[in-house]
């Protein structure tokens, strides 16, 4: 059977050549052969293994678990799928309980306003339903909120949102957008123990943002004046990532899944 080169395989699977290099680095998919010049050649068996890798990724398995699934005869795909099924079924049961409660309340013969007991029951079901928390908003603390707002938008390329000021013109609240999330910017507040990394001399948290092209984003932020603390690298948990500091020492990571 014909052997396949890495570019051909990457295009067919919808992956990047870098991803296939990473798969080989972690032992997940190693080319069966090489040309005299050292180029990788993939066999039919390699193609079948890649198909199984892609299939298992669709089940939400991490790369290390996929490796065990393919190489360890004691690993059970059925057991992993059973765990996944159990979690999905619990979500469905919670949704069904909430639906049934709503049907009873809406279809009751009482007044327009449901009874207190019905409302209490509805609130309990909503609390038990997994999707009660609909959105998360992170906030970061800065000494100079307005300067941070400008840096994050201009250097990191985050979407500029609102910037609220007092009557005297001092910025007191800012918002920037990163993909599907919003990040609030907050000034320092000793009463709540809130301080900028620039004040305490250390970052106690960080922000990770998914981008389309890690290497290109890194070069853009470097050119714009950001301090790069970690060059782009493929991590064993399945992401290519680089890290940089913002203008007050906050740690930011920009990443993309390897598949």
């Amino acid at each position: 059977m014909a052997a396949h080169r890495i570019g051909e395989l990457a295009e067919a699977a919808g992956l990047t050549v870098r991803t296939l290099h990473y798969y080989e680095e972690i032992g997940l998919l190693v080319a069966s052969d090489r040309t005299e010049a050292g180029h990788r050649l993939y066999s039919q068996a390699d193609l079948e293994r890649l198909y199984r890798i892609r299939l298992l990724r669709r089940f939400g398995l991490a790369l290390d678990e996929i490796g065990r699934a393919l190489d360890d005869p004691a690993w059970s795909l059925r057991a992993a799928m059973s765990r996944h099924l159990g979690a999905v079924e619990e979500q469905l049961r919670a949704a069904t309980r909430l639906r049934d409660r709503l049907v009873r309340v809406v279809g009751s013969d009482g007044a327009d306003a449901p009874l207190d007991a019905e409302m209490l029951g509805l609130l309990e079901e909503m609390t038990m339903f997994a999707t009660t928390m609909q959105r998360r908003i992170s906030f970061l603390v800065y000494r100079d909120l307005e300067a941070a707002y400008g840096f994050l938008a201009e250097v990191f390329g985050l979407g500029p949102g609102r910037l609220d000021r007092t009557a005297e013109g001092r910025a007191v609240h800012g918002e920037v957008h990163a993909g599907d999330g919003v990040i609030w910017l907050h000034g320092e507040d000793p009463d709540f123990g809130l301080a900028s990394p620039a004040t305490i001399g250390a970052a106690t948290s960080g922000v990770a943002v998914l981008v389309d092209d890690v290497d290109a984003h890194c070069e853009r932020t470097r050119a714009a004046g950001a301090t790069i603390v970690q060059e782009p690298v493929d991590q064993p948990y399945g992401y290519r990532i680089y890290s940089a500091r913002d203008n007050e020492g906050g740690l930011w990571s920009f990443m993309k899944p390897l598949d």
Side-chain angles (χ1 to χ4, degrees):
M1 293 206 176
H4 302 272
R5 291 180 179 267
I6 192 168
E8 178 186 359
L9 190 61
E11 183 178 359
L15 301 171
T16 64
V17 170
R18 176 180 285 120
T19 295
L20 293 178
H21 284 169
Y22 180 71
Y23 282 3
E24 181 165 300
E25 181 183 330
I26 64 175
L28 188 61
L29 179 68
V30 179
S32 297
D33 200 3
R34 288 181 181 260
T35 66
E36 292 183 0
H39 299 299
R40 295 168 178 81
L41 293 175
Y42 294 87
S43 67
Q44 179 66 28
D46 295 334
L47 266 64
E48 292 175 1
R49 183 178 177 90
L50 181 57
Y51 170 80
R52 286 182 286 162
I53 291 170
R54 300 295 287 159
L55 185 63
L56 292 173
R57 281 297 267 174
R58 289 183 178 274
F59 287 127
L61 300 184
L63 294 179
D64 58 347
E65 189 169 7
I66 291 174
R68 291 195 297 272
L70 298 180
D71 299 329
D72 183 359
W75 187 91
S76 171
L77 173 61
R78 183 175 295 276
M81 293 176 67
S82 295
R83 291 193 297 271
H84 190 185
L85 177 61
V88 171
E89 287 182 337
E90 179 55 38
Q91 289 179 328
L92 290 175
R93 285 192 291 269
T96 299
R97 290 193 298 267
L98 178 57
R99 176 191 177 277
D100 291 345
R101 175 76 66 171
L102 284 167
V103 168
R104 288 196 298 273
V105 172
V106 171
S108 64
D109 295 330
D112 288 342
L115 300 176
D116 286 351
E118 293 173 333
M119 286 304 301
L120 284 174
L122 184 58
L123 288 170
E124 290 173 356
E125 297 295 348
M126 289 174 64
T127 301
M128 296 175 65
F129 186 45
T131 58
T132 297
M133 297 184 185
Q134 298 178 358
R135 191 184 186 196
R136 85 278 182 253
I137 297 177
S138 302
F139 77 88
L140 300 174
V141 179
Y142 290 98
R143 193 159 57 189
D144 187 336
L145 193 153
E146 187 160 1
Y149 176 89
F151 182 95
L152 297 178
E154 296 167 12
V155 178
F156 285 163
L158 303 184
R162 61 189 295 175
L163 183 61
D164 299 322
R165 295 181 173 86
T166 63
E168 294 76 27
R170 182 174 63 88
V172 292
H173 174 80
E175 296 180 10
V176 291
H177 299 273
D180 65 341
V182 61
I183 300 170
W184 286 7
L185 311 181
H186 197 290
E188 293 186 314
D189 190 335
D191 291 339
F192 287 91
L194 299 177
S196 163
T199 297
I200 64 176
T204 60
S205 63
V207 180
V209 180
L210 293 176
V211 296
D212 291 333
D213 188 324
V214 170
D215 295 80
H217 193 276
C218 179
E219 290 311 309
R220 286 197 300 272
T221 58
R222 191 198 313 274
T227 299
I228 308 299
V229 296
Q230 180 189 48
E231 296 292 335
V233 62
D234 295 340
Q235 294 288 4
Y237 44 82
Y239 284 82
R240 185 166 180 78
I241 180 174
Y242 86 92
S243 298
R245 298 283 182 187
D246 63 29
N247 62 316
E248 292 196 11
L251 182 62
W252 291 74
S253 296
F254 299 91
M255 61 180 67
K256 181 180 181 180
L258 283 167
D259 62 339

